[in-house]
């Protein structure tokens, strides 16, 4: 048995398997993404997800085994959410100047995103749990999961919807901006931050620092506003 096979056997039986698998695939996906000049269809998160699913299916490894290691990355979602306070503080002067349009954009964006997802799922015959799990899909994962879990949704299902929303937002953002002929990076940043949370913000920083800053600001505000608005809206639905 080769050294590579020895390492594979060891990792497959270790809680570190999920962690190593996630990090390796994300690094590979990042390399591919950079090699093809950040092509939207080669989003590293999407490639990582597909690669991990392929390995789990190929070797018949269940999700619980994978998550024993992946939970260490999952744990970091909490500190990452707290860190959303940083862009709010750094751009507090901008927020003072533009607080009303940014808050209105975030509020209406969250409500419309949640309602449209709910009604589309309803028209397709989805269960009430699925519909409610879709409502917070545009909010950063830890906040969205907490909202869903406490208001009739399924947290794990919401997490999947959040990732899908972020990936699609990051992939389609530049095309939508061109279609709508948007030129102001501040407007673009707020739009992608409200609709595609962290994955969209990462894409925004690739396009320009100003767009990324406003996207991070909008994402942080959206998380705060969502915690206030969405539970009430989900209760009404």
């Amino acid at each position: 048995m080769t050294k590579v096979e020895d390492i594979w056997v060891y990792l497959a039986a270790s809680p570190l398997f999920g962690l190593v698998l996630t990090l390796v695939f994300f690094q590979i996906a990042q390399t591919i993404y950079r090699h093809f000049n950040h092509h939207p269809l080669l989003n590293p998160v999407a490639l990582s997800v597909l690669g991990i699913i392929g390995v789990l299916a190929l070797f018949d490894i269940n999700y619980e085994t994978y998550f024993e290691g992946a939970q260490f990355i999952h744990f970091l979602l909490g500190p990452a959410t707290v860190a959303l306070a940083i862009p709010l503080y750094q751009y507090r002067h901008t927020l003072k100047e533009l607080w009303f349009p940014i808050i209105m954009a975030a509020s209406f964006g969250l409500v419309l995103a949640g309602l449209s997802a709910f009604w589309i799922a309803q028209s397709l015959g989805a269960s009430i749990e699925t519909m409610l799990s879709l409502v917070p899909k545009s909010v950063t994962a830890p906040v969205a999961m907490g909202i869903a879990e406490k208001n009739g949704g399924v947290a794990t299902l919401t997490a999947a919807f959040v990732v899908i929303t972020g990936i699609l937002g990051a992939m389609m953002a530049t095309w939508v901006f061109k279609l709508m002929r948007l030129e102001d990076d501040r407007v673009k940043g707020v739009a992608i931050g409200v609709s595609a949370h962290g994955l969209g913000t990462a894409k925004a920083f690739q396009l320009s620092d100003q767009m990324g800053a406003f996207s991070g600001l909008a994402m942080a505000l959206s998380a705060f506003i969502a915690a206030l608005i969405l539970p009430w809206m989900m209760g009404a639905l």
Side-chain angles (χ1 to χ4, degrees), residues 74-88:
H74 183 268
F75 168 78
L76 296 176
L77 288 173
T81 303
V82 176
L84 292 176
I86 295 175
L88 286 176

Side-chain angles (χ1 to χ4, degrees), residues 135-157:
V135 172
K137 66 178 178 57
S138 295
V139 186
T140 187
V143 176
M145 292 170 68
I147 292 173
E149 189 173 23
K150 295 180 180 179
N151 294 278
V154 181
T156 51
L157 194 57

Side-chain angles (χ1 to χ4, degrees), residues 60-106:
D60 195 24
I61 300 171
N62 59 45
Y63 177 78
E64 288 72 20
T65 301
Y66 162 75
F67 191 71
E68 286 181 6
Q71 64 179 322
F72 298 113
I73 296 176
H74 183 268
F75 168 78
L76 296 176
L77 288 173
T81 303
V82 176
L84 292 176
I86 295 175
L88 286 176
Y89 178 76
Q90 290 177 332
Y91 291 90
R92 62 191 182 281
H93 300 300
T94 302
L95 184 58
K96 288 180 181 178
E97 296 174 2
L98 302 173
W99 67 271
F100 185 74
I102 293 177
I103 289 176
M104 287 296 100

Side-chain angles (χ1 to χ4, degrees), residues 1-76:
M1 185 177 289
T2 66
K3 290 183 178 180
V4 174
E5 291 174 329
D6 288 338
I7 293 172
W8 172 257
V9 170
Y10 171 75
L11 287 176
S14 167
L16 292 176
F17 169 73
L19 177 62
V20 172
L21 185 67
T22 303
L23 295 177
V24 167
F25 266 103
F26 187 74
Q27 185 58 48
I28 293 172
Q30 282 278 49
T31 302
I32 295 172
Y33 188 53
R34 287 193 295 265
H35 179 74
F36 288 95
N37 197 27
H38 303 109
H39 194 285
L41 295 179
L42 296 175
N43 183 278
V45 175
L47 293 180
S48 300
V49 169
L50 292 175
I52 292 169
I53 291 174
V55 169
L56 297 183
L58 180 63
F59 293 97
D60 195 24
I61 300 171
N62 59 45
Y63 177 78
E64 288 72 20
T65 301
Y66 162 75
F67 191 71
E68 286 181 6
Q71 64 179 322
F72 298 113
I73 296 176
H74 183 268
F75 168 78
L76 296 176

